[in-house]
Amino acid sequence: MKLSTKTRYGVRTMYEIARGNQEEGVFQKDIAHLQNISLKYLDHIIDALKTAGLITTVRGHKSGYKLARPATEISMLDIYNAFGPDICIIDCLVRTSVCDMVSTCPSREFWGGLNNLIYDYMKSVSLDDLVKKHTLLE
């Protein structure tokens, strides 16, 4: 399983927004600068995060972005899902037409278990956990 660049940049974007001032919001240009993401590419990231209901625009003269709900209530899985479908490490877990051995495959259960571990881990780690851990490292 390989995470997309959009997903990785989405996590970094959410990190900056979570660290920022939730009253004034965080400016897109600041996120781009701090995370070394082009403004043009960041437009797509911001759009996906807004569509997923994870961030909102702060209204005013200079509008920035803030979290739509507390960082403790936003999981890494929520951010992942803003950029694509559910986690699926192999196709046969969601599409049985991929392989003739779906019903007799000795390894399908193993892959399903691994998929569930990844899903559960991403669901268990909140954006707040990420911010706190990085703050300790600084």
Side-chain angles (χ1 to χ4, degrees), residues 36-85:
N36 197 27
I37 303 170
S38 78
L39 279 169
K40 186 175 181 177
Y41 196 69
L42 189 56
D43 281 337
H44 300 286
I45 305 300
I46 294 288
D47 187 50
L49 295 169
K50 283 172 42 178
T51 300
L54 297 176
I55 61 173
T56 60
T57 304
V58 176
R59 302 288 178 212
H61 174 62
K62 292 183 176 180
S63 63
Y65 297 100
K66 68 177 187 173
L67 299 178
R69 56 186 194 262
T72 55
E73 297 177 15
I74 299 172
S75 72
M76 292 296 108
L77 184 63
D78 294 327
I79 299 169
Y80 174 89
N81 286 336
F83 300 97

Side-chain angles (χ1 to χ4, degrees), residues 21 27 30 32 39-40 62 67 69 81 93-96 106 109 112 117 121:
N21 183 322
F27 299 116
D30 294 334
L39 279 169
K40 186 175 181 177
K62 292 183 176 180
L67 299 178
R69 56 186 194 262
N81 286 336
L93 294 175
V94 291
R95 295 186 308 197
T96 56
E109 186 177 327
L117 287 171
Y121 179 68

